[in-house]
Amino acid sequence: MPQSIAATELPSLVGTELGVSDWLMIDQDRVNDFADATLDHQFIHVDPEKAALTPFGGTIAHGFLTLSLLPHLLESSSVPVEDTLMAVNYGTDKVRFLQPVKVGSRIRART
């Protein structure tokens, strides 16, 4: 894969794997910090003892925590576009959280 690519060449990369990010550990401290930042302290995220009694068997990351880590993960797994001054998060059309991310798991992105 090239170090960078011209914007005009982007269509040629549709369907091509550009890279895989490094692994990132999802630990309880990260989940607790996210809960504090978002004021979402649902027990399934922050109470390991109570969460152990659920079908998940322990605490899980907030779906939005996982989603919010994409810019970091994509930084190490995508190809920069030449002459780009900045990039912004335009949004998402259809996001679903199909699998829980259990605390203690590692995640990565595939671009």
Side-chain angles (χ1 to χ4, degrees):
M1 198 49 47
Q3 293 272 356
S4 64
I5 189 165
T8 57
E9 295 179 47
L10 288 173
S12 71
L13 294 177
V14 172
T16 301
E17 183 173 295
L18 301 179
V20 179
S21 73
D22 297 330
W23 287 103
L24 180 67
M25 174 62 72
I26 303 300
D27 60 20
Q28 191 64 56
D29 287 340
R30 184 183 305 274
V31 172
N32 291 346
D33 289 345
F34 189 83
D36 290 342
T38 61
L39 305 177
D40 180 356
H41 293 94
Q42 184 180 22
F43 80 92
I44 196 66
H45 306 301
V46 298
D47 187 338
E49 290 178 14
K50 194 171 178 183
L53 303 175
T54 71
F56 300 121
T59 50
I60 60 172
H62 304 71
F64 286 115
L65 167 57
T66 307
L67 185 63
S68 72
L69 292 169
L70 276 176
H72 168 73
L73 294 170
L74 294 176
E75 186 175 2
S76 67
S77 65
S78 59
V79 176
V81 177
E82 294 172 2
D83 301 321
T84 300
L85 297 177
M86 60 180 266
V88 296
N89 182 343
Y90 183 71
T92 57
D93 288 330
K94 295 180 182 180
V95 172
R96 301 288 183 268
F97 305 112
L98 301 178
Q99 293 288 326
V101 175
K102 295 181 179 183
V103 169
S105 298
R106 298 180 314 151
I107 63 171
R108 65 182 178 175
R110 183 175 305 274
T111 308

XYZ file of all heavy atoms in Angstrom:
851
model
N 0.837 -1.176 0.000
C 0.000 0.000 0.000
C 0.885 1.244 0.000
O 1.902 1.270 0.684
C -0.898 -0.043 1.232
C -2.102 0.849 1.187
S -3.195 0.853 -0.274
C -3.485 -0.846 -0.616
N 0.511 2.263 -0.744
C 1.341 3.476 -0.822
C 1.361 4.237 0.501
O 0.499 4.062 1.347
C 0.641 4.287 -1.915
C -0.760 3.798 -1.944
C -0.696 2.352 -1.540
N 2.384 5.106 0.655
C 2.507 5.960 1.844
C 1.364 6.970 1.898
O 0.901 7.328 2.967
C 3.842 6.695 1.819
C 5.022 5.785 1.972
C 5.358 5.560 3.434
O 4.762 6.126 4.312
N 6.337 4.734 3.682
N 0.954 7.458 0.742
C -0.170 8.378 0.633
C -0.766 8.196 -0.761
O -0.179 7.537 -1.617
C 0.273 9.825 0.852
O 1.169 10.223 -0.148
N -1.937 8.789 -0.965
C -2.615 8.621 -2.250
C -3.284 9.932 -2.645
O -3.736 10.694 -1.787
C -3.643 7.467 -2.182
C -4.187 7.143 -3.559
C -4.735 7.776 -1.183
C -4.914 5.831 -3.631
N -3.340 10.184 -3.927
C -4.049 11.361 -4.435
C -5.548 11.117 -4.310
O -6.028 9.992 -4.474
C -3.675 11.612 -5.895
N -6.287 12.173 -4.044
C -7.740 12.048 -3.898
C -8.379 11.451 -5.153
O -9.345 10.691 -5.057
C -8.352 13.408 -3.579
N -7.829 11.755 -6.314
C -8.391 11.234 -7.573
C -8.249 9.722 -7.693
O -8.952 9.097 -8.481
C -7.711 11.902 -8.780
O -6.295 11.686 -8.696
C -8.020 13.390 -8.824
N -7.340 9.135 -6.909
C -7.129 7.691 -6.961
C -8.000 6.918 -5.967
O -8.006 5.684 -5.986
C -5.654 7.374 -6.706
C -4.732 7.907 -7.783
C -3.276 7.582 -7.483
O -2.985 6.429 -7.139
O -2.449 8.504 -7.573
N -8.711 7.617 -5.088
C -9.515 6.940 -4.081
C -10.519 5.937 -4.651
O -10.652 4.835 -4.119
C -10.232 7.964 -3.185
C -9.342 8.709 -2.207
C -10.128 9.795 -1.503
C -8.721 7.745 -1.208
N -11.241 6.262 -5.736
C -12.198 5.281 -6.263
C -11.565 3.933 -6.625
O -12.206 2.893 -6.521
C -12.782 5.969 -7.496
C -12.646 7.433 -7.193
C -11.336 7.541 -6.446
N -10.295 3.941 -6.984
C -9.632 2.687 -7.358
C -9.386 1.789 -6.146
O -9.068 0.608 -6.305
C -8.314 2.977 -8.075
O -7.352 3.498 -7.164
N -9.525 2.332 -4.946
C -9.276 1.549 -3.735
C -10.528 0.923 -3.130
O -10.432 0.185 -2.149
C -8.596 2.423 -2.673
C -7.194 2.890 -3.015
C -6.667 3.805 -1.923
C -6.263 1.704 -3.207
N -11.687 1.210 -3.712
C -12.921 0.632 -3.176
C -12.797 -0.885 -3.173
O -12.438 -1.498 -4.177
C -14.150 1.090 -4.000
C -15.406 0.335 -3.562
C -14.348 2.586 -3.856
N -13.045 -1.491 -2.013
C -12.951 -2.941 -1.868
C -11.569 -3.453 -1.533
O -11.379 -4.650 -1.351
N -10.588 -2.561 -1.448
C -9.212 -2.944 -1.147
C -8.942 -2.766 0.339
O -9.294 -1.738 0.914
C -8.224 -2.048 -1.933
O -8.490 -2.191 -3.318
C -6.782 -2.428 -1.651
N -8.322 -3.752 0.958
C -7.924 -3.595 2.354
C -6.711 -2.691 2.427
O -5.694 -2.945 1.794
C -7.595 -4.946 2.993
C -7.249 -4.812 4.463
C -7.073 -6.145 5.157
O -8.056 -6.899 5.256
O -5.937 -6.414 5.590
N -6.830 -1.609 3.206
C -5.748 -0.637 3.316
C -4.830 -0.939 4.488
O -3.659 -0.601 4.459
C -6.317 0.771 3.468
C -7.206 1.253 2.332
C -7.721 2.645 2.624
C -6.453 1.214 1.010
N -5.382 -1.525 5.521
C -4.546 -1.820 6.671
C -5.348 -2.289 7.862
O -6.572 -2.251 7.869
N -4.617 -2.732 8.867
C -5.192 -3.184 10.128
C -4.469 -2.427 11.233
O -3.234 -2.351 11.231
C -5.020 -4.709 10.301
C -5.594 -5.169 11.628
C -5.688 -5.455 9.150
N -5.225 -1.877 12.148
C -4.627 -1.074 13.214
C -3.935 -1.953 14.246
O -4.098 -3.182 14.264
C -5.698 -0.234 13.915
O -6.509 -1.058 14.734
N -3.210 -1.302 15.117
C -2.661 -1.976 16.284
C -3.815 -2.351 17.218
O -4.899 -1.762 17.160
C -1.690 -1.051 17.031
C -0.480 -0.678 16.195
O -0.072 -1.488 15.330
O 0.053 0.426 16.409
N -3.574 -3.307 18.078
C -4.572 -3.690 19.085
C -4.661 -2.616 20.160
O -3.664 -1.972 20.491
C -4.183 -5.008 19.743
C -4.363 -6.203 18.866
C -3.383 -6.887 18.216
C -5.585 -6.867 18.547
N -3.917 -7.937 17.503
C -5.276 -7.944 17.692
C -6.919 -6.651 18.889
C -6.244 -8.809 17.188
C -7.881 -7.517 18.388
C -7.535 -8.577 17.545
N -5.852 -2.447 20.721
C -6.082 -1.502 21.820
C -6.862 -2.223 22.914
O -7.923 -2.803 22.643
C -6.863 -0.284 21.333
C -7.171 0.776 22.385
C -5.881 1.462 22.847
C -8.157 1.798 21.840
N -6.338 -2.203 24.129
C -6.978 -2.861 25.265
C -8.143 -2.018 25.784
O -8.007 -0.805 25.970
C -5.963 -3.075 26.391
C -6.559 -3.627 27.672
S -7.325 -5.266 27.498
C -5.877 -6.286 27.307
N -9.260 -2.672 25.996
C -10.415 -2.024 26.623
C -10.445 -2.488 28.076
O -10.899 -3.588 28.385
C -11.728 -2.397 25.900
C -11.663 -2.024 24.425
C -12.920 -1.728 26.599
C -11.451 -0.537 24.155
N -9.928 -1.641 28.959
C -9.880 -2.011 30.380
C -10.956 -1.248 31.155
O -11.610 -0.341 30.635
C -8.486 -1.791 30.965
C -7.999 -0.360 30.878
O -8.824 0.560 30.720
O -6.781 -0.158 30.980
N -11.144 -1.651 32.397
C -12.203 -1.059 33.203
C -11.973 0.420 33.442
O -12.930 1.200 33.464
C -12.345 -1.809 34.534
C -13.596 -1.422 35.318
C -14.877 -1.792 34.582
O -15.089 -2.937 34.226
N -15.740 -0.805 34.334
N -10.726 0.845 33.596
C -10.457 2.273 33.793
C -10.935 3.098 32.600
O -11.514 4.175 32.766
C -8.961 2.529 34.033
C -8.490 2.084 35.396
O -9.331 1.929 36.316
O -7.268 1.903 35.564
N -10.698 2.605 31.379
C -11.137 3.329 30.176
C -12.662 3.418 30.157
O -13.241 4.473 29.846
C -10.625 2.627 28.911
C -10.951 3.371 27.629
C -10.482 2.617 26.387
N -9.073 2.291 26.414
C -8.098 3.109 26.009
N -8.384 4.310 25.550
N -6.842 2.722 26.051
N -13.329 2.324 30.485
C -14.792 2.302 30.500
C -15.323 3.245 31.584
O -16.265 4.005 31.356
C -15.309 0.860 30.697
C -16.814 0.832 30.906
C -14.925 -0.003 29.489
N -14.719 3.219 32.759
C -15.148 4.112 33.841
C -14.945 5.578 33.458
O -15.808 6.422 33.751
C -14.384 3.809 35.129
C -14.754 2.468 35.725
O -15.749 1.847 35.365
N -13.928 2.000 36.635
N -13.820 5.897 32.824
C -13.572 7.272 32.390
C -14.623 7.726 31.379
O -15.095 8.867 31.417
C -12.175 7.422 31.797
C -11.065 7.331 32.825
O -11.350 7.430 34.044
O -9.888 7.151 32.410
N -14.988 6.829 30.458
C -16.018 7.165 29.473
C -17.363 7.371 30.160
O -18.110 8.295 29.822
C -16.109 6.071 28.400
C -16.975 6.444 27.243
C -16.480 7.209 26.192
C -18.297 6.032 27.179
C -17.281 7.565 25.122
C -19.107 6.380 26.108
C -18.600 7.148 25.074
N -17.672 6.519 31.133
C -18.917 6.679 31.892
C -18.954 8.037 32.581
O -19.985 8.719 32.580
C -19.052 5.550 32.909
N -17.838 8.445 33.162
C -17.770 9.749 33.818
C -17.950 10.883 32.807
O -18.658 11.862 33.076
C -16.443 9.927 34.557
C -16.323 9.049 35.791
O -17.359 8.544 36.289
O -15.180 8.873 36.262
N -17.320 10.758 31.648
C -17.397 11.815 30.634
C -18.797 11.957 30.060
O -19.219 13.066 29.711
C -16.399 11.541 29.508
N -19.534 10.859 29.961
C -20.851 10.881 29.321
C -21.999 10.834 30.320
O -23.164 10.900 29.911
C -20.996 9.684 28.362
O -20.862 8.472 29.106
C -19.968 9.755 27.242
N -21.671 10.682 31.590
C -22.680 10.548 32.652
C -23.554 9.314 32.464
O -24.699 9.275 32.918
C -23.534 11.825 32.768
C -22.747 13.118 32.968
C -23.687 14.312 32.996
C -21.908 13.058 34.240
N -23.016 8.297 31.805
C -23.721 7.027 31.587
C -23.078 5.969 32.477
O -22.119 5.313 32.088
C -23.637 6.623 30.117
C -24.361 5.311 29.831
O -24.876 4.667 30.778
O -24.401 4.917 28.652
N -23.621 5.808 33.676
C -23.064 4.888 34.666
C -23.908 3.636 34.818
O -24.015 3.073 35.907
C -22.900 5.603 36.014
C -21.865 6.674 35.973
N -22.181 7.990 35.730
C -20.530 6.621 36.117
C -21.072 8.707 35.745
N -20.056 7.905 35.966
N -24.508 3.174 33.732
C -25.302 1.952 33.797
C -24.426 0.821 34.329
O -23.265 0.668 33.927
C -25.861 1.608 32.418
C -26.775 0.404 32.450
C -27.333 0.051 31.077
O -26.763 0.410 30.059
N -28.439 -0.652 31.073
N -24.980 0.002 35.216
C -24.185 -1.020 35.912
C -23.472 -1.975 34.970
O -22.400 -2.482 35.288
C -25.062 -1.805 36.898
C -25.898 -2.885 36.246
C -25.410 -4.183 36.145
C -27.157 -2.600 35.727
C -26.163 -5.181 35.537
C -27.912 -3.590 35.124
C -27.420 -4.890 35.030
N -24.029 -2.228 33.811
C -23.425 -3.182 32.879
C -22.033 -2.727 32.438
O -21.214 -3.530 32.002
C -24.347 -3.432 31.664
C -23.919 -4.682 30.903
C -24.401 -2.235 30.745
C -24.088 -5.954 31.659
N -21.772 -1.428 32.615
C -20.474 -0.872 32.242
C -19.532 -0.687 33.430
O -18.324 -0.829 33.266
C -20.647 0.480 31.543
C -21.567 0.456 30.375
N -21.356 -0.349 29.269
C -22.716 1.120 30.124
C -22.333 -0.176 28.395
N -23.169 0.715 28.889
N -20.075 -0.357 34.591
C -19.214 0.114 35.690
C -19.242 -0.730 36.966
O -18.459 -0.470 37.874
C -19.550 1.586 36.048
C -19.276 2.499 34.862
C -20.982 1.725 36.538
N -20.093 -1.736 37.032
C -20.191 -2.549 38.250
C -19.866 -4.010 37.931
O -20.757 -4.794 37.576
C -21.592 -2.431 38.845
C -21.746 -3.107 40.189
O -20.942 -4.017 40.513
O -22.683 -2.733 40.926
N -18.595 -4.404 38.050
C -18.193 -5.761 37.676
C -18.954 -6.863 38.421
O -19.280 -7.889 37.815
C -16.700 -5.802 38.013
C -16.255 -4.383 37.916
C -17.429 -3.572 38.412
N -19.251 -6.667 39.682
C -19.958 -7.706 40.444
C -21.382 -7.903 39.939
O -21.822 -9.031 39.713
C -19.950 -7.373 41.933
C -18.571 -7.499 42.556
C -18.559 -7.125 44.032
O -19.640 -7.017 44.648
O -17.445 -6.930 44.556
N -22.108 -6.812 39.767
C -23.484 -6.904 39.276
C -23.510 -7.368 37.818
O -24.351 -8.179 37.430
C -24.175 -5.548 39.442
C -25.663 -5.594 39.282
C -26.287 -4.256 39.677
C -27.781 -4.263 39.467
N -28.381 -2.950 39.777
N -22.578 -6.862 37.012
C -22.531 -7.243 35.596
C -22.180 -8.720 35.419
O -22.573 -9.339 34.434
C -21.524 -6.371 34.849
N -21.468 -9.298 36.383
C -21.123 -10.724 36.310
C -22.360 -11.602 36.343
O -22.326 -12.748 35.882
C -20.176 -11.082 37.451
N -23.463 -11.086 36.855
C -24.709 -11.850 36.951
C -25.542 -11.786 35.679
O -26.583 -12.431 35.590
C -25.533 -11.339 38.143
C -24.830 -11.384 39.503
C -25.698 -10.729 40.570
C -24.471 -12.810 39.872
N -25.096 -11.029 34.691
C -25.817 -10.900 33.420
C -25.309 -11.942 32.426
O -24.289 -12.595 32.670
C -25.606 -9.496 32.813
O -24.253 -9.387 32.341
C -25.918 -8.390 33.831
N -26.008 -12.108 31.316
C -25.526 -13.038 30.285
C -24.137 -12.696 29.745
O -23.460 -13.551 29.176
C -26.581 -12.916 29.178
C -27.815 -12.486 29.880
C -27.346 -11.591 30.998
N -23.669 -11.440 29.920
C -22.343 -11.058 29.449
C -21.243 -11.584 30.359
O -20.090 -11.668 29.953
C -22.224 -9.541 29.325
C -23.206 -8.945 28.361
C -24.118 -7.998 28.794
C -23.232 -9.322 27.027
C -25.031 -7.439 27.910
C -24.132 -8.773 26.140
C -25.039 -7.832 26.589
N -21.566 -11.878 31.607
C -20.587 -12.431 32.529
C -19.600 -11.426 33.085
O -18.631 -11.791 33.738
N -19.820 -10.158 32.817
C -18.939 -9.099 33.300
C -19.274 -7.797 32.619
O -20.218 -7.715 31.829
N -18.501 -6.776 32.919
C -18.766 -5.465 32.343
C -18.409 -5.437 30.861
O -17.541 -6.175 30.393
C -17.985 -4.370 33.090
O -16.617 -4.747 33.207
C -18.566 -4.125 34.474
N -19.124 -4.575 30.155
C -18.893 -4.375 28.725
C -18.702 -2.883 28.458
O -19.182 -2.030 29.204
C -20.046 -4.921 27.861
C -21.377 -4.237 28.211
C -20.151 -6.432 28.004
C -22.528 -4.583 27.267
N -18.007 -2.589 27.387
C -17.784 -1.200 26.976
C -19.073 -0.607 26.426
O -19.901 -1.312 25.836
C -16.694 -1.135 25.916
N -19.246 0.671 26.606
C -20.333 1.388 25.953
C -20.138 1.263 24.440
O -19.002 1.361 23.953
C -20.296 2.880 26.298
C -20.331 3.212 27.751
N -19.273 2.987 28.605
C -21.299 3.796 28.495
C -19.589 3.410 29.812
N -20.819 3.907 29.775
N -21.212 1.090 23.703
C -21.094 1.065 22.249
C -20.485 2.347 21.715
O -19.646 2.325 20.815
N -20.869 3.469 22.309
C -20.337 4.746 21.837
C -18.871 4.929 22.208
O -18.160 5.667 21.530
C -21.186 5.916 22.326
C -22.499 6.016 21.596
C -23.697 5.824 22.263
C -22.535 6.302 20.237
C -24.899 5.907 21.589
C -23.736 6.382 19.560
C -24.929 6.183 20.231
N -18.403 4.264 23.243
C -16.967 4.277 23.537
C -16.217 3.595 22.396
O -15.250 4.135 21.857
C -16.663 3.568 24.861
C -15.191 3.236 25.135
C -14.308 4.465 25.087
C -15.049 2.507 26.453
N -16.674 2.427 22.020
C -16.039 1.694 20.930
C -16.039 2.529 19.647
O -15.018 2.655 18.970
C -16.765 0.357 20.706
O -16.832 -0.352 21.942
C -16.053 -0.500 19.682
N -17.179 3.117 19.344
C -17.292 3.947 18.141
C -16.357 5.149 18.212
O -15.710 5.506 17.222
C -18.745 4.408 17.977
C -19.084 5.191 16.729
C -18.870 4.356 15.473
C -20.531 5.677 16.808
N -16.243 5.760 19.385
C -15.418 6.962 19.518
C -13.928 6.676 19.370
O -13.141 7.596 19.141
C -15.677 7.641 20.865
O -15.118 6.895 21.930
N -13.532 5.421 19.470
C -12.124 5.060 19.321
C -11.706 4.883 17.865
O -10.523 4.729 17.568
C -11.824 3.787 20.117
C -11.901 3.960 21.636
C -11.869 2.606 22.328
C -10.790 4.856 22.136
N -12.652 4.922 16.948
C -12.315 4.726 15.532
C -11.288 5.720 15.006
O -10.356 5.305 14.306
C -13.572 4.759 14.667
C -14.327 3.440 14.573
C -15.608 3.623 13.768
C -13.462 2.354 13.962
N -11.386 7.010 15.274
C -10.348 7.903 14.742
C -8.944 7.493 15.179
O -8.011 7.516 14.370
C -10.737 9.276 15.304
C -12.209 9.183 15.491
C -12.447 7.760 15.946
N -8.793 7.106 16.428
C -7.478 6.657 16.909
C -7.043 5.391 16.175
O -5.905 5.287 15.706
C -7.529 6.404 18.411
C -6.332 5.685 18.913
N -5.087 6.287 19.040
C -6.157 4.385 19.282
C -4.215 5.400 19.476
N -4.835 4.242 19.628
N -7.940 4.424 16.065
C -7.591 3.158 15.420
C -7.301 3.341 13.935
O -6.374 2.731 13.402
C -8.711 2.138 15.630
C -8.934 1.694 17.074
C -10.220 0.889 17.193
C -7.746 0.906 17.603
N -8.062 4.178 13.288
C -7.866 4.376 11.844
C -6.591 5.137 11.526
O -6.043 5.008 10.436
C -9.078 5.088 11.245
C -10.375 4.288 11.270
C -11.525 5.124 10.736
C -10.245 2.984 10.499
N -6.097 5.896 12.488
C -4.865 6.658 12.271
C -3.697 5.734 11.919
O -2.832 6.084 11.119
C -4.540 7.466 13.524
C -3.369 8.394 13.370
C -3.158 9.260 14.608
O -3.897 9.121 15.589
O -2.224 10.076 14.575
N -3.684 4.535 12.488
C -2.574 3.619 12.230
C -2.889 2.592 11.142
O -2.073 1.724 10.875
C -2.180 2.892 13.522
O -3.213 2.026 13.946
N -4.076 2.694 10.518
C -4.423 1.645 9.556
C -4.943 2.171 8.224
O -5.390 1.391 7.402
C -5.484 0.721 10.163
O -6.692 1.412 10.383
N -4.887 3.461 8.007
C -5.390 3.983 6.745
C -4.286 4.738 6.000
O -3.245 5.050 6.564
C -6.602 4.888 6.977
O -6.264 5.963 7.813
N -4.536 5.012 4.749
C -3.565 5.696 3.893
C -3.945 7.173 3.809
O -5.076 7.502 3.441
C -3.553 5.076 2.476
C -2.620 5.840 1.558
C -3.175 3.609 2.547
N -3.040 8.085 4.157
C -3.360 9.513 4.078
C -3.606 9.963 2.638
O -2.981 9.465 1.708
C -2.107 10.196 4.631
C -1.292 9.138 5.262
C -1.700 7.830 4.673
N -4.522 10.893 2.506
C -4.809 11.472 1.198
C -3.920 12.707 1.034
O -3.877 13.567 1.922
C -6.300 11.850 1.071
C -6.576 12.514 -0.275
C -7.174 10.610 1.249
N -3.216 12.768 -0.086
C -2.285 13.873 -0.349
C -3.013 15.215 -0.365
O -4.176 15.297 -0.772
C -1.599 13.655 -1.696
C -0.695 12.448 -1.716
C -0.166 12.124 -3.098
O -0.467 12.867 -4.063
O 0.540 11.117 -3.227
N -2.308 16.242 0.080
C -2.791 17.621 0.049
C -4.067 17.837 0.866
O -4.844 18.750 0.588
C -3.009 18.099 -1.396
C -1.733 18.037 -2.213
O -0.655 18.358 -1.656
O -1.813 17.654 -3.393
N -4.282 17.001 1.870
C -5.430 17.171 2.753
C -5.046 18.127 3.871
O -4.061 17.904 4.574
C -5.867 15.819 3.356
O -6.215 14.947 2.290
C -7.039 15.988 4.284
N -5.794 19.185 4.025
C -5.516 20.148 5.079
C -6.063 19.690 6.423
O -5.487 19.927 7.463
C -6.109 21.513 4.727
C -5.543 22.188 3.483
C -6.269 23.496 3.213
C -4.047 22.419 3.644
N -7.223 19.040 6.383
C -7.846 18.553 7.606
C -8.905 17.526 7.245
O -9.318 17.421 6.094
C -8.499 19.691 8.391
C -9.581 20.426 7.616
S -10.333 21.759 8.526
C -11.739 20.951 9.216
N -9.315 16.795 8.226
C -10.401 15.833 8.045
C -11.377 16.021 9.199
O -10.971 16.348 10.318
C -9.864 14.408 8.036
N -12.644 15.841 8.916
C -13.660 15.947 9.957
C -14.522 14.696 9.930
O -14.621 14.011 8.913
C -14.546 17.204 9.786
C -13.733 18.475 9.951
C -15.264 17.193 8.452
N -15.135 14.408 11.054
C -16.060 13.285 11.147
C -17.397 13.748 10.590
O -18.079 14.575 11.189
C -16.195 12.852 12.611
C -17.113 11.659 12.763
O -17.886 11.323 11.870
N -17.035 11.037 13.910
N -17.748 13.227 9.444
C -18.981 13.621 8.764
C -20.203 12.955 9.382
O -21.305 13.430 9.261
C -18.852 13.270 7.277
C -20.022 13.690 6.431
C -20.246 15.034 6.153
C -20.900 12.755 5.910
C -21.318 15.427 5.367
C -21.974 13.142 5.121
C -22.180 14.478 4.858
O -23.229 14.873 4.081
N -19.999 11.816 10.039
C -21.107 11.108 10.675
C -21.229 9.693 10.162
O -20.372 9.186 9.443
N -22.307 9.065 10.536
C -22.559 7.680 10.140
C -24.002 7.551 9.661
O -24.875 8.313 10.076
C -22.352 6.721 11.318
O -23.215 7.122 12.389
C -20.921 6.733 11.813
N -24.220 6.607 8.794
C -25.577 6.366 8.314
C -26.256 5.242 9.091
O -27.392 5.377 9.497
C -25.571 6.017 6.820
C -25.256 7.222 5.954
O -25.592 8.349 6.365
O -24.672 7.035 4.883
N -25.556 4.139 9.251
C -26.181 2.975 9.886
C -25.175 2.311 10.817
O -24.403 1.460 10.394
C -26.637 1.975 8.827
C -27.728 2.506 7.929
C -28.141 1.473 6.910
C -29.210 2.066 6.006
N -29.638 1.107 4.990
N -25.197 2.695 12.070
C -24.313 2.082 13.054
C -25.149 1.160 13.929
O -26.205 1.552 14.437
C -23.628 3.146 13.934
C -22.861 2.494 15.074
C -22.705 4.000 13.091
N -24.686 -0.053 14.082
C -25.310 -1.024 14.981
C -24.202 -1.636 15.814
O -23.087 -1.848 15.332
C -26.030 -2.135 14.198
C -27.122 -1.653 13.269
C -28.341 -1.169 14.037
N -29.405 -0.779 13.158
C -29.596 0.458 12.705
N -28.757 1.407 13.028
N -30.594 0.733 11.910
N -24.503 -1.937 17.049
C -23.544 -2.579 17.946
C -23.953 -4.046 18.053
O -24.773 -4.418 18.890
C -23.525 -1.868 19.303
C -23.248 -0.400 19.182
C -24.219 0.536 19.486
C -22.006 0.049 18.752
C -23.960 1.896 19.372
C -21.739 1.407 18.626
C -22.721 2.324 18.939
N -23.394 -4.863 17.178
C -23.842 -6.246 17.026
C -23.272 -7.201 18.069
O -23.883 -8.226 18.346
C -23.500 -6.749 15.622
C -24.120 -5.941 14.482
C -23.669 -6.496 13.139
C -25.632 -5.915 14.582
N -22.119 -6.887 18.603
C -21.477 -7.734 19.604
C -20.985 -6.859 20.744
O -20.429 -5.788 20.498
C -20.280 -8.484 19.007
C -20.642 -9.507 17.962
C -21.300 -10.723 18.579
O -20.974 -11.115 19.685
N -22.245 -11.298 17.871
N -21.146 -7.320 21.979
C -20.588 -6.543 23.088
C -19.067 -6.639 23.089
O -18.494 -7.638 22.656
C -21.174 -7.222 24.328
C -21.423 -8.628 23.898
C -21.804 -8.555 22.437
N -18.433 -5.575 23.558
C -16.991 -5.594 23.766
C -16.782 -5.740 25.267
O -17.044 -4.816 26.031
C -16.321 -4.305 23.238
C -14.840 -4.289 23.587
C -16.527 -4.191 21.731
N -16.346 -6.917 25.672
C -16.155 -7.185 27.093
C -14.910 -6.485 27.604
O -13.892 -6.407 26.904
C -16.049 -8.688 27.335
C -17.328 -9.434 27.022
C -17.189 -10.917 27.297
C -18.499 -11.625 26.992
N -18.412 -13.052 27.329
N -15.014 -5.958 28.809
C -13.852 -5.355 29.444
C -12.761 -6.425 29.545
O -13.035 -7.575 29.896
C -14.221 -4.767 30.821
C -12.978 -4.381 31.590
C -15.143 -3.572 30.645
N -11.555 -6.042 29.199
C -10.439 -6.984 29.140
C -10.150 -7.463 27.730
O -9.167 -8.158 27.499
N -11.013 -7.082 26.780
C -10.811 -7.446 25.376
C -9.886 -6.450 24.697
O -9.735 -5.318 25.139
C -12.145 -7.437 24.622
O -13.037 -8.374 25.135
N -9.317 -6.891 23.592
C -8.547 -6.004 22.725
C -9.352 -5.803 21.452
O -9.994 -6.731 20.971
C -7.191 -6.602 22.388
C -6.302 -6.830 23.589
C -4.957 -7.428 23.226
N -5.089 -8.545 22.304
C -4.161 -8.902 21.417
N -3.019 -8.255 21.350
N -4.347 -9.928 20.621
N -9.300 -4.584 20.910
C -9.993 -4.295 19.654
C -8.998 -3.711 18.663
O -7.933 -3.224 19.038
C -11.185 -3.324 19.856
C -10.702 -1.964 20.371
C -12.223 -3.938 20.792
C -11.779 -0.899 20.387
N -9.367 -3.774 17.386
C -8.592 -3.132 16.330
C -9.522 -2.847 15.171
O -10.632 -3.372 15.100
C -7.392 -3.970 15.894
C -7.732 -5.281 15.251
C -6.479 -6.031 14.904
N -6.793 -7.331 14.327
C -5.896 -8.148 13.858
N -4.609 -7.800 13.865
N -6.236 -9.291 13.350
N -9.064 -2.033 14.254
C -9.870 -1.663 13.087
C -9.211 -2.226 11.829
O -8.002 -2.290 11.717
C -9.983 -0.146 12.974
N -10.057 -2.621 10.912
C -9.611 -3.064 9.594
C -10.195 -2.089 8.588
O -11.398 -1.906 8.530
C -10.101 -4.484 9.325
C -9.631 -5.070 8.025
C -10.058 -6.540 7.877
N -9.621 -7.362 8.986
C -8.429 -7.956 9.076
N -7.547 -7.789 8.121
N -8.126 -8.697 10.113
N -9.315 -1.443 7.827
C -9.748 -0.430 6.865
C -9.739 -1.005 5.472
O -8.770 -1.616 5.055
C -8.781 0.787 6.914
O -8.665 1.217 8.259
C -9.278 1.903 6.067
